[in-house]
Amino acid sequence: AQSVTQLDSHVSVSEGTPVLLRCNYSSSYSPSLFWYVQHPNKGLQLLLKYTSAATLVKGINGFEAEFKKSETSFHLTKPSAHMSDAAEYFCVVSEGPKLIFGTGTRLQVFP
Amino acid sequence: DAGVIQSPRHEVTEMGQEVTLRCKPISGHDYLFWYRQTMMRGLELLIYFNNNVPIDDSGMPEDRFSAKMPNASFSTLKIQPSEPRDSAVYFCAIRDDVLTFGAGSRLTVL
């Protein structure tokens, strides 16, 4: 079975500093991986997806993630945090048609 | 959210009442999913359909929960009778290449 582990439940950064949200995956084959974002009282929005075409994946709002098979990681990064980035972020792995969600990382951005 | 319309957005009901949540996919899809989100348990997959046929309902917590998809443009999730522990946000989502979520239905059972 596929699974993802988000290593931090909360991350706090200052506006303008880099963001790193960590995710490790477990998969018996080359996985499809995603990051979703959920702003307060909103639905979930796709940030980016990895499907083996390129190890560095660029998403919306300046986010990107790098697939590292040797480390079984798919960490999400952004060079400079903005106040509007404050939200819950979910790392997701595909298992057939189903998507298996991690427990989420809440990102706080301080002025 | 434009690909999936959920109703009601908010519902407050009393324990024992029947609750029906609705989902209307706007765009084309092969799969439709129902998820539940709570603070304690995060996002849980309840059930999913492929071409209107239920494929995996192992996430449905109890017999009080049922889901139907009579056609490609409509699905319901019903809870009868409802209990306070059913309070959560229920999301409907469709998948073609990626998963597209509706805005969710926030259910409060008193």
Side-chain angles (χ1 to χ4, degrees):
Chain A
Q2 322 306 316
S3 67
V4 288
T5 301
Q6 293 186 244
L7 301 171
D8 307 294
S9 59
H10 290 85
V11 170
S12 297
V13 300
S14 297
E15 190 174 23
T17 63
V19 176
L20 170 64
L21 305 182
R22 298 183 296 165
C23 173
N24 287 348
Y25 68 90
S26 173
S27 175
S28 55
Y29 51 84
S30 184
S32 292
L33 293 161
F34 309 77
W35 277 97
Y36 278 79
V37 61
Q38 184 179 31
H39 288 91
N41 300 314
K42 299 290 187 182
L44 288 92
Q45 180 185 18
L46 178 69
L47 268 181
L48 51 82
K49 64 175 181 177
Y50 165 77
T51 54
S52 76
T55 56
L56 184 62
V57 183
K58 294 189 182 298
I60 62 173
N61 300 335
F63 285 93
E64 62 182 35
E66 186 171 9
F67 175 75
K68 291 187 176 180
K69 186 175 181 178
S70 60
E71 300 176 9
T72 61
S73 69
F74 190 58
H75 301 335
L76 182 70
T77 60
K78 183 173 181 177
S80 176
H82 192 273
M83 295 296 292
S84 61
D85 294 328
E88 186 96 15
Y89 292 80
F90 293 92
C91 183
V92 185
V93 66
S94 178
E95 182 175 281
K98 299 191 297 185
L99 293 194
I100 310 299
F101 283 76
T103 51
T105 298
R106 181 166 298 278
L107 176 65
Q108 285 186 303
V109 183
F110 295 104
Chain B
D1 296 346
V4 182
I5 305 298
Q6 291 188 246
S7 62
R9 292 294 311 276
H10 302 273
E11 173 136 356
V12 180
T13 190
E14 292 188 346
M15 183 173 63
Q17 297 298 306
E18 178 179 295
V19 173
T20 299
L21 307 178
R22 297 173 178 80
C23 175
K24 293 185 178 181
I26 302 300
S27 52
H29 60 90
D30 292 328
Y31 294 91
L32 184 141
F33 301 79
W34 282 99
Y35 284 86
R36 177 172 70 174
Q37 186 178 37
T38 61
M39 289 291 291
M40 293 296 295
R41 301 175 69 91
L43 266 166
E44 303 172 275
L45 176 62
L46 300 177
I47 184 172
Y48 76 94
F49 296 82
N50 178 214
N51 293 325
N52 313 336
V53 176
I55 302 300
D56 183 353
D57 65 354
S58 58
M60 297 285 261
E62 299 172 31
D63 292 344
R64 298 183 296 106
F65 284 69
S66 62
K68 294 182 179 180
M69 191 167 184
N71 58 65
S73 301
F74 188 63
S75 179
T76 59
L77 178 67
K78 185 175 293 187
I79 309 172
Q80 167 64 18
S82 59
E83 298 183 3
R85 59 188 167 137
D86 302 331
S87 298
V89 181
Y90 291 81
F91 288 102
C92 177
I94 58 173
R95 185 172 186 186
D96 40 30
D97 182 36
V98 296
L99 203 59
T100 300
F101 283 82
S105 294
R106 181 176 296 276
L107 173 65
T108 302
V109 184
L110 302 175

